[in-house]
Amino acid sequence: MISKIFVICGTQKFQFDRLISALDRQIEEGLVKASVFGQIGGGSYEPTHFPYARFMDDADFKDEIRKADLIVTHSGTGSIVNSLKSGKKVIVVPRLAKYGEHVNDHQLEIAELFEKAGLVMTCGNTDKLFLAIRQAEDFSPAVFHSGTEHVLEVLDKDLQELARAKAEKEK
């Protein structure tokens, strides 16, 4: 059962009032019953039905992810990856240029890639967010494998080869 939701709008200069106002309204209407905490960014809409912070330090941000059963986030790769690394179910709501939420629709493309990999659910229509939250109860995401370990292995191998080359050159 989903009892705690963390909604993330990121640190972009762009507002995401569409997401925050829809979630606030759906809580008021009783469509979303879970406890919600939001990191709402710099938008002008301030929710009245859930607590929030505009911005958070890294420790508090990660603590909110840890405590949540479900993450509802903009399509920022950092927010998505941090949530997946923590083993959380994720609903991605992409920011869209037509609403002044970003300069283009690259967030839609990012969301589609994560969804095609079976890692997240997406919700393009914020009026139906409550339905996506209900569907998340039964969502079983694919296992997330970070590429970080591979990158570190490649860097380590390259550094060892450089050290060997330098040592041979010094002989």
Side-chain angles (χ1 to χ4, degrees):
M1 179 174 163
I2 294 172
S3 60
K4 174 87 171 131
I5 298 171
F6 180 33
V7 60
I8 304 169
C9 292
T11 57
Q12 292 285 328
K13 64 181 178 178
F14 302 102
Q15 56 80 22
F16 206 7
D17 292 342
R18 177 173 60 102
L19 170 60
I20 298 305
S21 63
L23 183 56
D24 200 33
R25 183 180 67 254
Q26 290 167 31
I27 292 169
E28 179 182 30
E29 294 171 359
L31 298 170
V32 173
K33 298 185 187 320
S35 168
V36 174
F37 182 80
Q39 181 275 307
I40 67 168
S44 60
Y45 184 87
E46 293 185 354
T48 58
H49 296 93
F50 63 92
Y52 66 90
R54 290 213 173 266
F55 302 99
M56 303 171 74
D57 65 33
D58 193 53
D60 289 339
F61 180 81
K62 287 180 178 172
D63 189 50
E64 287 299 325
I65 288 175
R66 182 190 56 74
K67 292 188 295 189
D69 302 307
L70 174 67
I71 308 299
V72 175
T73 182
H74 73 124
S75 198
T77 55
S79 298
I80 295 170
V81 168
N82 275 318
S83 300
L84 292 172
K85 282 182 175 180
S86 296
K88 301 301 176 174
K89 293 182 179 187
V90 179
I91 296 174
V92 177
V93 182
R95 294 173 180 271
L96 300 175
K98 71 181 180 181
Y99 298 118
E101 298 164 347
H102 224 299
V103 295
N104 60 35
D105 287 335
H106 74 278
Q107 285 208 347
L108 186 59
E109 295 168 12
I110 291 168
E112 288 171 351
L113 288 171
F114 277 97
E115 185 175 50
K116 283 181 184 172
L119 296 166
V120 304
M121 298 172 56
T122 60
C123 180
N125 182 345
T126 55
D127 290 335
K128 297 191 179 191
L129 181 58
F130 71 98
L131 292 174
I133 291 169
R134 287 182 193 158
Q135 292 169 347
E137 293 271 355
D138 298 323
F139 177 62
S140 296
V143 177
F144 176 71
H145 297 286
S146 172
T148 304
E149 291 81 15
H150 176 69
V151 170
L152 291 174
E153 287 173 11
V154 169
L155 286 173
D156 186 50
K157 181 181 173 189
D158 288 347
L159 289 172
Q160 288 178 16
E161 287 177 16
L162 285 172
R164 272 193 293 272
K166 182 179 178 187
E168 286 197 23
K169 190 175 184 181
E170 291 175 351
K171 286 184 181 179

